[in-house]
Amino acid sequence: MPVSNQQVVGHGFLGELYGDSYYPDHLLDKGKAILLGLCARIESERPADLDALYVLTAVATEEFNALEEEFVAADSEIETIARDAIGEDFAFVASAYGFADADVEELIAAREW
């Protein structure tokens, strides 16, 4: 299901990480796909409250946890700069779907990076 939220469609997910050779573009593309997949799930499942949103973001965070292994294999990692960029994009997604009061740490609470 394609994403219809125009804020999301026009957003450059993980934008500050592209162009930095430390982060392989093909892995950033996978991260971007995780975030867009989260958006698609939000649009299809329409979480009624923050608790329901946090369930969806936990799944996406677990996907990033798995992606971390690929970063390490490529002599990279999800470290401070990447962690902040990912957290900011999770917060952007929450806000774009009407959850501006979402706690960023709670959105990515399942993270292992």
Side-chain angles (χ1 to χ4, degrees), residues 18-56:
Y18 282 98
D20 184 335
S21 62
Y22 184 69
Y23 307 106
D25 285 355
H26 73 283
L27 296 179
L28 294 175
D29 291 345
K30 287 183 178 187
K32 181 178 176 180
I34 291 168
L35 291 162
L36 288 170
L38 170 61
C39 294
R41 286 195 67 196
I42 291 170
E43 289 184 14
S44 69
E45 297 183 26
R46 301 192 186 281
D49 56 23
L50 279 175
D51 287 336
L53 176 68
Y54 293 148
V55 169
L56 299 180

Side-chain angles (χ1 to χ4, degrees), residues 41-104:
R41 286 195 67 196
I42 291 170
E43 289 184 14
S44 69
E45 297 183 26
R46 301 192 186 281
D49 56 23
L50 279 175
D51 287 336
L53 176 68
Y54 293 148
V55 169
L56 299 180
T57 61
V59 172
T61 302
E62 292 291 344
E63 292 177 38
F64 270 104
N65 288 344
L67 187 58
E68 167 70 0
E69 294 174 23
E70 292 185 54
F71 273 93
V72 170
D75 293 324
S76 183
E77 66 179 303
I78 299 176
E79 42 67 70
T80 305
I81 294 170
R83 182 174 50 249
D84 290 348
I86 294 166
E88 288 171 12
D89 278 341
F90 269 84
F92 166 79
V93 168
S95 181
Y97 288 101
F99 295 97
D101 56 341
D103 181 287
V104 176

